[in-house]
Amino acid sequence: MPTAITPSSSDPALATYDSPIGRLTLAARDGALVGLWVSGQRFFGRPYGIDEAVARSTVDLTSPDSRESVRAAEWDEADALALRAVAAWLDGYFAGEAPSPICVPIAPAGTDFQRRVWEAMDAIPRGATRTYGQIAATLRGAGVPASAQAVGGAVGRNPLLIIRPCHRVVAASGPGGYAAGGAAKAWLLAHEAATASSAS
């Protein structure tokens, strides 16, 4: 599970990363990842008020060379380290590896219930899925009142796309919705299914 850090109120440092599912925006604050969204995603930039047009004009961390060339003055050093760690994690993930999310400090803003759902998503192994109903049942077993619909709402508001694998949560009758769109969800699930055994 990623390392959680308590968030503060400062504006996040932003960067972009070009991925197979689209351009990602990375947001860090106080040395922790607070947001990872894909272009066009529902709830993009929430709850931090990050505008997608502004995000597109930030530093591109897609290549390792670009990470080295970023001036130290661009970000606070702790935020720079967090953003570079996320970019390196994404490199591994999209290369078919299974990088540990523990190397990425996170501080997502959300309600207590949302955090419980997001923590349940962390437990879904690469290449596997769980239904909204299964997660709701797990939470109820831990004494947290939950319905499949409430779980779906929390999954859709996950601010840490891919790092917290909301794409692994599916409907009982099929893939279900995805804030980043059905094509992105299908791509991520197929990518993980194809690489899960080699990445283990």
Side-chain angles (χ1 to χ4, degrees), residues 36-50:
L36 177 61
W37 308 277
V38 69
S39 181
Q41 177 180 333
R42 190 171 9 123
F43 308 119
F44 184 99
R46 290 187 191 170
Y48 308 101
I50 296 167

Side-chain angles (χ1 to χ4, degrees), residues 4-129:
I5 294 175
T6 305
S8 78
S9 60
S10 60
D11 287 336
L14 301 176
T16 60
Y17 183 100
D18 287 327
S19 81
I21 64 165
R23 176 166 282 190
L24 303 174
T25 294
L26 293 58
R29 185 174 61 191
D30 296 332
L33 183 70
V34 297
L36 177 61
W37 308 277
V38 69
S39 181
Q41 177 180 333
R42 190 171 9 123
F43 308 119
F44 184 99
R46 290 187 191 170
Y48 308 101
I50 296 167
D51 181 80
E52 194 167 345
V54 171
R56 279 194 298 270
S57 65
T58 60
V59 177
D60 180 6
L61 296 184
T62 306
S63 79
D65 290 342
S66 68
R67 293 169 215 160
E68 295 306 317
S69 67
V70 173
R71 297 189 320 268
E74 293 281 342
W75 304 304
D76 171 90
E77 185 57 31
D79 291 343
L81 288 171
L83 290 170
R84 288 181 184 124
V86 175
W89 188 94
L90 291 168
D91 288 345
Y93 177 85
F94 287 117
E97 301 166 9
S100 172
I102 201 159
C103 65
V104 178
I106 63 169
T111 66
D112 288 340
F113 178 75
Q114 287 171 339
R115 289 171 193 253
R116 294 295 293 267
V117 171
W118 300 339
E119 289 166 4
M121 293 184 321
D122 292 341
I124 306 171
R126 179 186 178 90
T129 59

Side-chain angles (χ1 to χ4, degrees), residues 129-139 148 170:
T129 59
R130 299 289 182 272
T131 67
Y132 302 104
Q134 287 172 320
I135 291 178
T138 299
L139 292 176
V170 298

